[in-house]
Amino acid sequence: MLAYVYRTVPWRKVRVKSPHDVFNHRVRWAASRLTLYEAVSRLCNAFGLQSLPPDAVRLCQELRPYERELLNRLRAEHIPLCMMAVLRAKEMRKADEERAASPLFADKETEDDGE
């Protein structure tokens, strides 16, 4: 879930020396909410995000039964959890770039444009 939020943040517009420190701090701050939905909303608002990808919303729904445990762990272990999310976000971005560069993806785009 955190990886989706991290990927959605327009980091080029966020002028800070250490984006990871800012992300860590805001995750810990958002984890103080009572529900997972509140925490995610607060985290998104902290970065000026108006929406999240559909996969993130589905994941949030799946995690909802575990929200107390998740929020407690985020408050206590925010640094390693955030850094794992950053690494996962980078993996996701790389996979997206590879998929976009794939000849199969390019052929699909060409077919769609011709119709």
Side-chain angles (χ1 to χ4, degrees):
M1 181 66 196
L2 293 175
Y4 284 111
V5 174
Y6 187 86
R7 280 191 68 195
T8 307
V9 174
W11 289 108
R12 288 190 174 112
K13 294 181 181 180
V14 179
R15 302 280 184 207
V16 294
K17 284 188 177 184
S18 176
H20 299 152
D21 288 349
V22 171
F23 188 68
N24 289 333
H25 182 267
R26 291 184 183 175
V27 166
R28 186 186 60 189
W29 172 74
S32 67
R33 304 312 302 167
L34 295 176
T35 69
L36 183 61
Y37 287 174
E38 285 181 79
V40 171
S41 293
R42 193 172 193 189
L43 183 59
C44 289
N45 287 339
F47 288 109
L49 303 177
Q50 299 299 312
S51 64
L52 285 174
D55 288 340
V57 176
R58 281 190 283 278
L59 182 57
C60 194
Q61 290 172 329
E62 292 175 23
L63 295 174
R64 187 94 190 255
Y66 314 102
E67 67 187 354
R68 290 302 335 139
E69 180 182 345
L70 290 171
L71 293 174
N72 287 336
R73 283 193 68 196
L74 270 178
R75 279 191 293 275
E77 304 170 9
H78 63 96
I79 294 174
L81 293 174
C82 286
M83 292 313 299
M84 284 187 268
V86 169
L87 294 173
R88 177 69 181 123
K90 289 181 180 186
E91 290 170 2
M92 292 164 68
R93 182 174 297 125
K94 184 178 178 182
D96 287 348
E97 289 170 357
E98 289 172 357
R99 188 173 32 251
S102 165
L104 294 175
F105 185 76
D107 290 342
K108 177 69 175 155
E109 266 187 359
T110 307
E111 289 173 11
D112 289 344
D113 291 342
E115 292 180 25

